[in-house]
Every structure is written in structure tokens, then in C-alpha cells.
Amino acid sequence: MRIRRLAAVLAVGVTATLVPALAPAQASAADPLHGFHNQRPAWHRCDTSMPAAYQCATIDVPLDYSRPTGRTITLAISRMKAGGSAERHGAILFNPGGPGANGLAMPVAMNDTMPKDVRERYDLIGFDPRGVGRSTPVTCGLTAAERKVEHPYRPETFNHDVTWARSVAEKCRTENGDMLRHITTRNTARDMDVIRAVLGEKKISYLGFSYGTYLGAVYTQMFPQRTDRFVLDSAVDPARVWRGMIQVWAEGAEPAFARWTKWTAQRDRAYHLGSTPAAVKASFWDLVARADRDPIPYENQKLSGDDLRAGLRPQFFSPIEAAETVAALKAVADGKPTSHRIVGLDGAPAPRSPGETDAQPPADNGSAVFWSVVCGDTAAWPRRIDQYRRDAIQDKARHPLYGDFGSNITPCAFWTGPAEPVTTVHNDVRLLTVQNQWDPQTPLVSGLGMHRTLTASRMVYVEGGEGHGVYSGDPRACANRAVNAYLSTGQLPTRDLTCEASGSQHAGLGKSTVPIPHRVPGAPGF
């Protein structure tokens, strides 16, 4: 349902069993988590098709940290150890986004991305967050139709949307019982601290993308003294979790759409969508109306106007990509052939990522974790059904492209209340945030919100940067240089830094070499 389906990094087989052992020098028996902190994982080669240095293991963590002697769940972890001429600094953990995306193979991706003088300073550490992939995965038994979660508001279908939302919540509750209440960001942050202790590190460094920025920020709030060099790329606004972060997609889309109409009007000879911004806008909305009357056939699908609004929203953040797609859709609607591949509307499977195998978690695992986290992190979801109806009507008028999608009812309206309050993120931990100007999933206003709440952070802002995710393998890009310098030395820029977009930060002019951040197929994602 998303335009750009970047592949989730999926774990390779993790079959080694945990070898529990205690090392009294590492942790005191008075610590209720000492048994978890002193685990000695049985590292083994993850997969014979992958580099031998890529190792996997499992550890145990409490399901409920308030009851550490109760039920445990398994975490799948991975590593590529530091080596070479650079002096080792420590361990760096990665999270690719989500919530619900696999992170076990992140060391392989980042080993290919980070310059040698950076990666050799760290043990590169990946993990599937609790509930995800190889880490005691959750499932709600959702059908393919139930995993389709973008629902436009229409008076005639609203009751059906309410039924869908209630059914998903009930299925998740039935399948998982009390476990779902503990699949939260705060508990994943606690898991990260167990990983830190198991690795024997006093502090950890971290690189998190999208949802991973919120996870990283929560860790800094809960464990500030154990926070080392943290980079938050394409940030969630902690003040908006989580309904506000879905609604911000609609808010951010309107200026991107206006920018697209201006850009496309200047290139009418190429796209034939209008020579003025008003004419281009009219061309798009005429196409939406046509598709509502007579859905557009494409790749064995019938695309309605609502499909176009939802599917094209992320593309408007890259004018060239959106112009080519809208022109192609118009040609199809007119009965003309087109060679343009309509990315994200073609039903093509996502490309496989480094370390991915055919051993898959449950089909609805990404959706189940997504709803578990966004519903379970906070109680700030309306319980009155009519409020969703009113908000969807109001926001569709304010933000025509996506407002009703962002404010319509979700399973969170019927979710069991959270196990603990939402984390208030506000601290003076020194870290680095990076943000593109034109980001469809965590728009600039979101990144600025994160930067403000982390009062000692420095921000690298890529003016003109397009797409979701900044850090890439291009060492020449200004933002990448800033990230690499910080990870190498620990020194933040003396003040916030503005970079001009390079080719790799224009979605239509070049592509990042890293398949991150990841959005979960079949679910919205950050």
C-alpha cells in the first residue's frame, strides 16, 4: 500500500541455543536482571552464503520487565566484529525502522555502507526487536485484506472500517493474550540495554532510522548514562506518537504536492499535465475523479481515486518521480500504452535484502508488531468512534490528498490499554539528528520536533534533500561526512549544519546504496 516498498532486512536462520552462564564480575546478584545481563550467547555463522564474520546468536529477555522472574522471550542478535587498523571504540546497534521491520542483517548492510575507518572502530550489532522476525514473533492471524490498513473516509464505508478495526484488535488479543501489552518501544529499549550488558559494554552507540529514531530517543531518556554516540536519521516527533505521526503524513503532503505542481508546470512539454500550477493540480484531481468513476486498469489491478491518493502521496516528495507516474497513469486511463513502471502500484515484490532467506516469519508479523507498538505505546487514542468520523471529515477538507486516511479509525480505538505511560522524551544527551527537507514518512516538521526535545542535539539538515533516510554510502555527501566524523571522533558539530542535497539525496537523480529505512509491507511504517 506504500509507493516505495524498500525491502525489510530479514534475518537469516538463527538456530543456536542460548548458553546461559553467569559471570559474577559483570553483574551483582542483587540486580534483578543479573541473570540476563550475564548471558553468554553461542555465536555461530549465520549463513554459509554470507560473510563468515557475520555471526548470529539468541539471548533471553523478560517479557515483562516488572516481573523479571516470569515468562521470557527470545531475541535474535547478530554481529560483525571490529577489525583492522582503526582503534576499536565499542559496539554500535542498528534499527532500520518500522515498527515491525527486521534488523538482524543490518550489520551486513552497514558494513557495506560505512567507510572503512568508521566501521573498523565498532562491533556492528543487529537485532530483531521483540516480536519481530526471529525474536519470538507475534501474529494476529490477519488475512491479506485485514492487513490492508489505509482506509479512506467515506460515509458509506465507515461502518465497515469500524468493523475492520475492531476485528483486528480482537484477533490480536485472542492470538497473543497478555503478550501484546509488552511489545512496546520502552521494552525494546530495555532489550537494547540487555544486549549492551551481554556484549560487556558500559555504553552503546546507535544508528536508528525512522521509527528507530524514536526507539533511540527513548533509550536516551531511560538510560542516559549508557548512551554513547547516537545518530537519529529521519526522526519521529516524540510529541506526536502515534496518531499524530500518522496524521503528519497528510500535513507534510500538502506543501510537497504544491511544490510538485510548480515543478511540473515548468515542464509541460515533457509531461503534458498543464502549463500552470493550477492546471497541473486540476489534471491530478481530474484523474482521481475519473478513477473513482472508472478504476484505472494496471498490472491486473483496478486503481480507484482513493488508491491514487494513498499510493501517490509519498511520490509527490520527488517531483520527477510523481510527474512521470501521474503522466503514465493518465496515459493508461486514456487507453494509451506506457513503458513507465509505476513503482508501488505494480504489485511487484520488494527486492531481497542482504541476509534474507526463504524462512519467513508469519505473513502478518509486520502488521501485528506495528499495531502492538503504536497502540500499546500510548493511551492517547480516542475511544469514541464518532471522533474518528469527525476528524476524518475535517482533515480531508484541510489536507485533501491524505487527511481522511490519516485520521480514520484504526485498531487502536479498541486496543487494550498500555502497560505503562508513554515516555516523555526531553533530555540534554548529546547526539546527532539528520533530516531531509522533503521526507514523506517523517516530514521536516517531525524531524524538527525531535531536535527540539533533545536539547543538546545537533541537527544536519539537507536542504532540498528528497526521500526517507539520509545516511548512505556516498562519502562525498555533506550529511554523510558529518555522520562519519561524529561516529569516528565523538565530536558533534559546534552548531546545527545545513547541507545542500547531493545526487544521492534526490530520489529522481540517484539512489542510496542501503536498503533502509524499512517500511513494513502491508502496514504503514516509519
Side-chain angles (χ1 to χ4, degrees):
M1 56 168 248
R2 271 268 169 262
I3 280 293
R4 181 142 326 259
R5 303 284 191 195
L6 296 181
V9 179
L10 185 65
V12 299
V14 181
T15 56
T17 57
L18 178 70
V19 178
L22 297 182
Q26 287 187 346
S28 166
D31 179 356
L33 297 177
H34 76 279
F36 298 100
H37 288 173
N38 290 320
Q39 294 174 85
R40 293 176 179 168
W43 294 103
H44 67 286
R45 187 172 182 177
C46 296
D47 187 277
T48 56
S49 66
M50 302 301 292
Y54 175 45
Q55 299 179 313
C56 290
T58 60
I59 62 173
D60 288 343
V61 294
L63 172 64
D64 180 354
Y65 275 87
S66 70
R67 303 175 66 183
T69 60
R71 179 183 172 184
T72 63
I73 57 175
T74 296
L75 285 188
I77 60 176
S78 62
R79 73 178 181 185
M80 296 184 76
K81 297 192 72 173
S85 57
E87 182 179 353
R88 182 186 182 277
H89 177 72
I92 183 167
L93 274 66
F94 303 104
N95 181 274
N102 310 72
L104 201 64
M106 287 293 289
V108 178
M110 299 313 300
N111 186 65
D112 292 339
T113 300
M114 290 176 155
K116 182 178 180 181
D117 64 333
V118 176
R119 68 174 180 263
E120 288 185 346
R121 297 176 187 273
Y122 295 94
D123 292 347
L124 309 183
I125 307 298
F127 68 106
D128 280 352
R130 60 170 49 208
V132 176
R134 309 291 179 208
S135 294
T136 311
V138 297
T139 176
C140 298
L142 302 179
T143 66
E146 288 169 329
R147 296 197 299 272
K148 185 180 185 301
V149 299
E150 283 184 314
H151 292 253
Y153 173 78
R154 290 181 177 272
E156 64 272 22
T157 60
F158 183 69
N159 287 340
H160 176 76
D161 297 338
V162 173
T163 299
W164 160 78
R166 182 183 285 110
S167 175
V168 169
E170 290 176 351
K171 279 191 168 186
C172 287
R173 203 157 33 238
T174 299
E175 288 284 335
N176 299 281
D178 190 54
M179 180 177 176
L180 231 56
R181 299 183 71 229
H182 303 291
I183 307 299
T184 64
T185 300
R186 286 180 63 86
N187 279 333
T188 301
R190 293 178 176 116
D191 293 343
M192 287 171 54
D193 201 56
V194 171
I195 294 172
R196 172 202 61 78
V198 167
L199 296 174
E201 303 288 342
K202 293 182 178 179
K203 294 184 176 184
I204 54 170
S205 296
Y206 178 80
L207 174 55
F209 299 84
S210 198
Y211 163 73
T213 66
Y214 181 64
L215 173 59
V218 169
Y219 185 90
T220 70
Q221 193 69 35
M222 296 175 69
F223 305 102
Q225 300 305 316
R226 299 170 188 168
T227 298
D228 197 359
R229 301 171 186 177
F230 269 50
V231 179
L232 309 182
D233 186 330
S234 308
V236 166
D237 183 350
R240 294 179 182 240
V241 296
W242 279 112
R243 191 181 188 217
M245 277 305 302
I246 296 174
Q247 291 171 323
V248 83
W249 292 337
E251 179 184 336
E254 295 303 321
F257 180 78
R259 171 180 176 245
W260 171 73
T261 63
K262 295 176 183 177
W263 186 93
T264 305
Q266 295 169 356
R267 295 159 177 82
D268 186 44
R269 288 188 178 183
Y271 301 110
H272 310 293
L273 294 173
S275 59
T276 66
V280 173
K281 179 179 179 180
S283 292
F284 171 74
W285 286 109
D286 286 348
L287 185 65
V288 169
R290 286 177 63 184
D292 274 336
R293 293 191 303 270
D294 185 15
I296 299 172
Y298 183 76
E299 294 284 332
N300 299 316
Q301 302 177 77
K302 293 283 190 177
L303 302 176
S304 68
D306 292 331
D307 293 330
L308 300 191
R309 289 194 297 127
L312 290 170
R313 178 196 63 80
Q315 287 205 17
F316 287 122
F317 288 78
S318 171
I320 186 172
E321 188 174 311
E324 290 176 354
T325 298
V326 173
L329 286 168
K330 186 174 182 297
V332 173
D334 291 338
K336 300 175 182 177
T338 178
S339 60
H340 178 71
R341 194 75 175 178
I342 305 177
V343 179
L345 295 177
D346 56 11
R352 294 169 74 85
S353 297
E356 186 171 348
T357 72
D358 291 328
Q360 300 285 345
D364 72 333
N365 180 235
S367 295
V369 174
F370 179 87
W371 292 123
S372 299
V373 172
V374 302
C375 300
D377 269 0
T378 173
W381 285 93
R383 295 292 175 172
R384 294 175 60 95
I385 292 173
D386 282 349
Q387 182 172 341
Y388 290 94
R389 185 198 303 270
R390 290 194 301 271
D391 290 351
I393 293 171
Q394 174 181 296
D395 287 347
K396 186 173 184 177
R398 294 171 58 205
H399 307 304
L401 190 64
Y402 198 78
D404 55 320
F405 285 93
S407 294
N408 204 357
I409 196 163
T410 76
C412 300
F414 305 101
W415 212 259
T416 302
E420 55 186 325
V422 68
T423 305
T424 299
V425 176
H426 186 81
N427 62 58
D428 60 359
V429 171
R430 291 173 56 80
L431 54 77
L432 189 67
T433 71
V434 288
Q435 180 72 37
N436 274 334
Q437 181 178 6
W438 298 104
D439 183 328
Q441 299 306 107
T442 51
L444 178 58
V445 65
S446 174
L448 291 172
M450 175 70 85
H451 181 39
R452 282 193 301 270
T453 199
L454 298 171
T455 58
S457 64
R458 293 289 182 267
M459 183 181 211
V460 178
Y461 165 60
V462 185
E463 188 172 26
E466 297 173 1
H468 188 42
V470 178
Y471 186 65
S472 72
D474 181 1
R476 300 164 298 176
C478 168
N480 295 338
R481 293 200 306 270
V483 171
N484 291 331
Y486 170 60
L487 291 176
S488 294
T489 68
Q491 296 297 312
L492 288 170
T494 55
R495 55 182 176 273
D496 291 349
L497 176 66
T498 296
C499 293
E500 293 184 5
S502 66
S504 63
Q505 288 153 339
H506 282 292
L509 301 179
K511 303 296 181 185
S512 167
T513 59
V514 189
I516 47 180
H518 302 285
R519 294 193 290 282
V520 180
F526 306 94

